Amino acid sequence: MVSSKKMATKTQKLLRLKGGDIVLLVEAWLILSWVDLVMSLLPYSRWSHWLQGPNPRPLEKSSLNLGIDAQVTRIIRFSEIAARHHIRPMNCLRRTFAQQRLLRHHHLQSDIHIGVRKAENGLEAHAWLSTQGQVINDAPDVSQGYAELEANQWAKIARFID
């Protein structure tokens, strides 16, 4: 249970946000809710098209300027905040899908990556996003800890997701 002091601090932080940031935070929270609902209730075959869904036109390296980079960072930052304060736990796959949908809504391109590695109790999977080859929602070296699956291999792990 959250103490009244913590709740007051969080409320003060929320009230200090600009209008556009509040809108983005609410948008991220709602998209996370929708992604969680779909992934929880429907089989993998019904939402797997998200893995290879269409992306906006990729940005050329020369057009990846500070304004676009700042916009991507802002979207990821507020979606991570929304995920941390969601009523349900948001794992990396749910966050990654929601963040890609947010970026698409703002006409920004990103690529989903799914990797696996051996763990004590079998395999461990992780999902993250990149743009222009740079990880945008995780540590820059996240891919070094996982064997990345190619898109055509994702369907092979579907039986472990449903």
Side-chain angles (χ1 to χ4, degrees):
M1 184 111 198
V2 178
S3 71
S4 60
K5 191 180 231 183
K6 281 187 180 181
M7 184 62 91
T9 302
K10 288 181 180 189
T11 303
Q12 287 172 354
K13 285 182 183 179
L14 181 64
L15 293 174
R16 284 193 297 255
L17 292 176
K18 298 175 189 169
D21 291 343
I22 292 173
V23 169
L24 181 58
L25 190 62
V26 169
E27 181 183 16
W29 198 91
L30 291 172
I31 289 176
L32 282 159
S33 299
W34 180 76
V35 166
D36 181 60
L37 183 68
V38 168
M39 290 178 76
S40 296
L41 297 178
L42 299 178
Y44 171 80
S45 60
R46 298 287 298 211
W47 53 265
S48 63
H49 64 280
W50 291 352
L51 296 170
Q52 288 98 9
N55 253 325
R57 190 169 96 345
L59 300 169
E60 295 178 19
K61 287 220 186 254
S62 61
S63 68
L64 190 59
N65 61 32
L66 185 61
I68 292 172
D69 193 32
Q71 188 178 8
V72 168
T73 302
R74 180 175 164 265
I75 289 168
I76 296 300
R77 179 175 159 244
F78 281 101
S79 63
E80 288 292 333
I81 291 169
R84 278 193 307 273
H85 295 90
H86 212 278
I87 57 175
R88 289 185 35 101
M90 294 293 149
N91 64 21
C92 59
L93 190 62
R94 283 164 168 74
R95 288 192 328 270
T96 296
F97 283 143
Q99 289 166 346
Q100 187 178 56
R101 293 186 107 45
L102 272 168
L103 290 166
R104 282 182 186 168
H105 178 75
H106 293 271
H107 309 289
L108 297 164
Q109 188 267 343
S110 63
D111 299 305
I112 293 177
H113 303 271
I114 297 177
V116 295
R117 67 179 174 195
K118 284 186 180 181
E120 283 186 26
N121 300 334
L123 287 179
E124 189 176 276
H126 187 56
W128 63 94
L129 284 176
S130 72
T131 188
Q132 300 296 326
Q134 295 181 329
V135 177
I136 57 175
N137 70 338
D138 210 317
D141 62 349
V142 67
S143 62
Q144 294 175 8
Y146 293 88
E148 189 172 340
L149 301 174
E150 298 294 326
N152 61 359
Q153 296 172 314
W154 293 348
K156 294 177 184 175
I157 64 166
R159 64 188 174 125
F160 299 109
I161 296 174
D162 284 340

